């Protein structure tokens, strides 16, 4: 199994910690019983590093729910960096963008989307960044699946529980 680094998700460009500001960990009342990420604003992001050293390929997936998005550029970007500070690239369709107009009554699947091989290593970092987002997008169940010629593992971030084993799950 591959374990997220011991550091939690780190917020940048936001104030208020996990329960305040543009990026919050809350219960999506009536939709999801456990904690999910609620994000809005223009520019704030959270990031977390996973050690993918020794793996040949990796994908990232998650689930999301848009709430009353009313313009096409209400967006959240899913991005990856090989070192957590430079060379950020969008992962998946539309350069990693999730958003546009819409209102989802249930969570939608996103991915799995390939992480570029040049970005797979000991400090692979996933970033969830907002842009022009005046409404809310909920995000949950972030999952990195990494494979090599001999091994396949998952690194997962689920709100419900923390477990070490084949999958690592931890709270936002």
């Amino acid at each position: 199994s591959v374990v997220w680094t011991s550091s939690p998700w780190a917020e940048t460009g936001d104030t208020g910690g996990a329960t305040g500001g543009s990026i919050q960990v809350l219960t999506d009342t009536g939709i999801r019983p456990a904690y999910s990420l609620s994000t809005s604003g223009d520019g704030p992001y959270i990031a977390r590093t996973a050690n993918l050293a020794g793996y040949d390929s990796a994908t990232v997936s998650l689930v999301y729910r848009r709430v009353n998005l009313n313009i096409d550029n209400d967006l959240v970007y899913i991005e990856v960096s090989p070192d957590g500070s430079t060379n950020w690239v969008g992962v998946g369709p539309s350069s990693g963008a999730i958003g546009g107009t819409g209102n989802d009554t249930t969570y939608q699947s996103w991915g799995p989307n390939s992480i570029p091989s040049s970005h797979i290593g000991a400090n692979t970092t996933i970033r969830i960044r907002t842009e022009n987002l005046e409404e809310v997008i909920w995000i949950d169940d972030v999952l990195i699946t990494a494979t090599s010629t001999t091994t396949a593992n998952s690194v997962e971030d689920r709100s419900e529980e923390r477990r070490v084993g084949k999958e690592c799950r931890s709270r936002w």
Side-chain angles (χ1 to χ4, degrees):
S1 90
V2 178
V3 180
W4 290 101
T5 59
S6 59
S7 62
W9 287 93
E11 289 185 45
T12 301
D14 191 29
T15 59
T19 59
S22 296
I23 301 172
Q24 299 181 37
V25 179
L26 302 168
T27 300
D28 190 356
T29 306
I31 304 293
R32 222 156 166 88
Y35 297 107
S36 296
L37 176 72
S38 171
T39 183
S40 63
D42 188 15
Y45 66 87
I46 60 168
R48 195 164 190 186
T49 300
N51 183 349
L52 302 182
Y55 291 92
D56 303 318
S57 63
T59 62
V60 61
S61 61
L62 53 84
V63 295
Y64 70 93
R65 186 172 80 83
R66 301 170 299 168
V67 179
N68 299 321
L69 273 61
N70 57 12
I71 56 175
D72 287 337
N73 65 344
D74 281 339
L75 300 171
V76 169
Y77 286 93
I78 311 304
E79 299 169 320
V80 64
S81 167
D83 59 14
S85 63
T86 61
N87 300 315
W88 293 101
V89 297
V91 178
S94 303
S95 299
I98 298 172
T101 58
N103 189 41
D104 302 314
T105 57
T106 61
Y107 278 75
Q108 309 299 308
S109 295
W110 181 89
N113 293 296
S114 295
I115 296 172
S117 60
S118 60
H119 286 55
I120 297 171
N123 295 305
T124 299
T125 303
I126 300 296
R127 173 169 81 173
I128 301 171
R129 177 179 61 87
T130 63
E131 184 174 296
N132 302 316
L133 187 60
E134 295 181 15
E135 290 74 21
V136 172
I137 295 181
W138 291 87
I139 295 175
D140 204 359
D141 299 345
V142 177
L143 171 67
I144 295 174
T145 302
T147 58
S148 71
T149 54
T150 59
T151 308
N153 283 303
S154 295
V155 178
E156 187 167 5
D157 196 75
R158 292 221 184 199
S159 307
E160 292 84 8
E161 58 195 56
R162 183 180 181 113
R163 182 182 304 159
V164 177
K166 181 166 175 25
E167 297 177 344
C168 176
R169 300 176 186 198
S170 60
R171 290 182 185 233
W172 286 97

